[in-house]
Amino acid sequence: MLSAVKMEGHEHADWSGSGYYGETECYTGNMNSGLSMNSMSGYMSAPGMTGTGHMNAHYVNPVGVNHHPAMPVGVSQSPGGPMAQAGVGMGGMSSMSPPPPYGSVPVMSPVYGQACGGIRSREPKPYRRSYTHAKPPYSYISLITMAIQQAGSKMLTLNELYQWITDLFPFYRQNQQRWQNSIRHSLSFNDCFIKVPRLPDKPGKGSFWALHPDSGNMFENGCYLRRQKRFKTGRGDKEAAGAAGGKAGSEGGSVGSGTGGGGGSSSGGSTRSDSPRSSASDSPSSDAKGTGAERGAHRGELPPPSPVRVPSPHLFSPPHHHHHPHHHHHHPLLLHEAAHAHLKPDHYHPHYAFNHPFSINNLMSEPQPHRLEPLPVPVPGQYGGGGYGCPVSGALVAAKGGLEHAHAHAHTTDSSYYRGAYTRPLVNS
DNA sequence: CAGTGTTTAATTTGAC
DNA sequence: GTCAAATTAAACACTG
């Protein structure tokens, strides 16, 4: 039955009734770019560039980008700006790219229904137009990962994360409470995300969130909806990496036993709890919560362990430069690196560079030259054009050019990738 | 108090 | 069908 449509059924208000991926809409991607994953690029084609403002420090607008400091942003010149395209190649995946489902498309096709082999049964219809507010084919984990990676400092606060997502994906302008809760859950629950304490100088509420250095390419299979396997540190790593402390304590200690979690679960893998069934009987709700809460609280975050951990101010500070596309001098995230230094001394960087799906390096380094290309190819191939692009693509480059001012528009205006879609080919019309 | 973080639980969804 | 990943919901603690 209707399976396919379920999820947001409620909200579909916008969808005009059509089913999510269903027939009417699907993100069509133009993935073709050749890169392994760049599929994403198409998706977003340039969302906005606009500098969405607010990017405070780290978060670079999704699309932003571009190269020029001077103009850029904000203007949304064209909708689709030229930017985005870059390919993001996901490094890792390429290596393994599985059999391409659709011709050249390597791995993930963002197309709804297809990514990863096809989500459900829907078939892609070639002409599908992209819908504006369809749910993006990325899991929350993917979104978080992308957002962090595109940030110059490689770390974002929760709020920046939210902002990035909403700026980019209109879909998420709805039901915020729901997805934001999920985002928070994902951050806390997944070992691939680590919390980096804020500098004293920077007031503010939460801490920064970064990717665990070892998380590597979590989406090697090319599917952004579902990882083949969840990244689990042995146990306390998460914290360790970040700083030390943290969750490991409770969780690890107690349950941690298993590898990953085993906590309880015997099987090893169960990430979550495994309890559902078994313990269900025991008073499910009430009890659990109580306890949970308690401990959670107490673990709090880790004190700044090593000197390193925190982001150095300069990171956040306005970049005086605008980054040119070219110099990818890598991100400043060093600090972050540093933080993990103890964990992975050398590389960390490399890690991402090669493996991470949304590796910035890929984005930045290579494509730069070409980035100018106006949109990637419209290749309407089968799936038409407006597909998913990696939101990150342009972003990285952007670096915070806009700095804080703008913001406003983002939401209203759209800088979302959808724009691209729209504007793009619209072929079918 | 609102936002941020943790955690448990239930359910959905995708891969095998 | 099973298992695991992802999503959603919600309780609760901590912090600014």
Side-chain angles (χ1 to χ4, degrees):
Chain A
M1 7 194 129
L2 4 135
S3 32
V5 183
K6 120 191 186 29
M7 316 188 129
E8 296 66 58
H10 4 352
E11 21 206 289
H12 60 296
D14 290 295
W15 317 113
S16 33
S18 33
Y20 221 13
Y21 331 89
E23 329 197 328
T24 18
E25 50 191 331
C26 139
Y27 279 110
T28 52
N30 56 241
M31 30 218 212
N32 58 341
S33 339
L35 293 184
S36 348
M37 82 165 291
N38 53 23
S39 358
M40 308 186 88
S41 24
Y43 177 67
M44 352 213 4
S45 36
M49 71 168 299
T50 33
T52 334
H54 157 184
M55 19 197 126
N56 303 296
H58 337 39
Y59 133 56
V60 181
N61 181 37
V63 178
V65 187
N66 223 2
H67 23 321
H68 249 238
M71 70 152 303
V73 200
V75 179
S76 42
Q77 29 181 53
S78 13
M83 22 252 343
Q85 68 279 348
V88 168
M90 313 199 106
M93 352 186 17
S94 24
S95 18
M96 47 184 342
S97 33
Y102 330 99
S104 46
V105 176
V107 198
M108 83 169 274
S109 21
V111 178
Y112 262 144
Q114 321 205 4
C116 296
I119 299 181
R120 278 177 179 247
S121 41
R122 257 64 189 184
E123 299 223 357
K125 288 182 170 174
Y127 35 105
R128 272 17 319 163
R129 50 165 141 240
S130 16
Y131 237 26
T132 352
H133 295 66
K135 183 175 188 169
Y138 305 117
S139 62
Y140 292 123
I141 295 178
S142 300
L143 291 173
I144 296 169
T145 302
M146 288 188 260
I148 293 174
Q149 298 231 296
Q150 62 81 51
S153 52
K154 301 292 178 248
M155 51 173 85
L156 293 174
T157 58
L158 185 64
N159 199 50
E160 290 169 327
L161 210 45
Y162 292 156
Q163 202 59 55
W164 186 85
I165 293 171
T166 51
D167 281 352
L168 216 54
F169 307 95
F171 172 85
Y172 292 110
R173 290 176 194 167
Q174 312 169 27
N175 303 298
Q176 309 212 323
Q177 167 128 52
R178 180 196 294 171
W179 66 265
Q180 292 185 343
N181 185 16
S182 296
I183 290 284
R184 275 183 261 119
H185 171 267
S186 295
L187 287 169
S188 297
F189 186 76
N190 293 282
D191 291 342
C192 52
F193 302 119
I194 57 177
K195 210 164 59 165
V196 180
R198 232 181 225 269
L199 286 179
D201 329 3
K202 297 207 133 212
K205 236 167 172 222
S207 3
F208 289 99
W209 288 96
L211 287 164
H212 187 291
D214 291 336
S215 56
N217 176 11
M218 299 184 283
F219 307 92
E220 20 190 78
N221 58 351
C223 182
Y224 291 89
L225 284 171
R226 190 186 199 97
R227 293 172 293 180
Q228 57 237 25
K229 184 163 187 206
R230 175 176 277 158
F231 168 73
K232 272 266 180 190
T233 59
R235 47 184 149 150
D237 268 21
K238 192 175 187 172
E239 280 103 30
K247 317 182 141 191
S250 52
E251 198 160 317
S254 48
V255 192
S257 32
T259 64
S265 52
S266 30
S267 14
S270 46
T271 10
R272 41 163 166 230
S273 35
D274 56 1
S275 42
R277 316 156 168 163
S278 48
S279 53
S281 27
D282 322 350
S283 33
S285 19
S286 30
D287 323 316
K289 296 165 170 207
T291 28
E294 276 182 29
R295 20 179 124 222
H298 111 298
R299 59 159 63 326
E301 43 190 93
L302 11 140
S306 1
V308 274
R309 60 193 220 327
V310 188
S312 34
H314 61 285
L315 294 180
F316 305 100
S317 47
H320 41 328
H321 48 303
H322 37 354
H323 41 302
H324 272 5
H326 315 12
H327 65 327
H328 56 332
H329 64 341
H330 308 125
H331 6 32
L333 49 114
L334 309 173
L335 69 140
H336 173 202
E337 270 182 58
H340 309 69
H342 35 305
L343 296 182
K344 294 224 125 184
D346 0 207
H347 2 342
Y348 175 58
H349 211 51
H351 226 8
Y352 283 139
F354 305 92
N355 306 324
H356 226 85
F358 313 100
S359 151
I360 291 186
N361 289 338
N362 295 328
L363 304 178
M364 307 179 90
S365 29
E366 327 268 71
Q368 315 209 338
H370 319 53
R371 335 176 12 343
L372 297 178
E373 272 186 64
L375 295 180
V377 185
V379 168
Q382 299 195 304
Y383 311 104
Y388 282 114
C390 176
V392 186
S393 49
L396 356 161
V397 199
K400 5 203 122 216
L403 308 198
E404 32 219 65
H405 45 318
H407 165 237
H409 52 338
H411 304 60
T412 28
T413 345
D414 21 69
S415 30
S416 25
Y417 59 56
Y418 295 110
R419 236 166 162 248
Y422 285 9
T423 44
R424 258 215 177 36
L426 288 187
V427 193
N428 56 4
S429 45

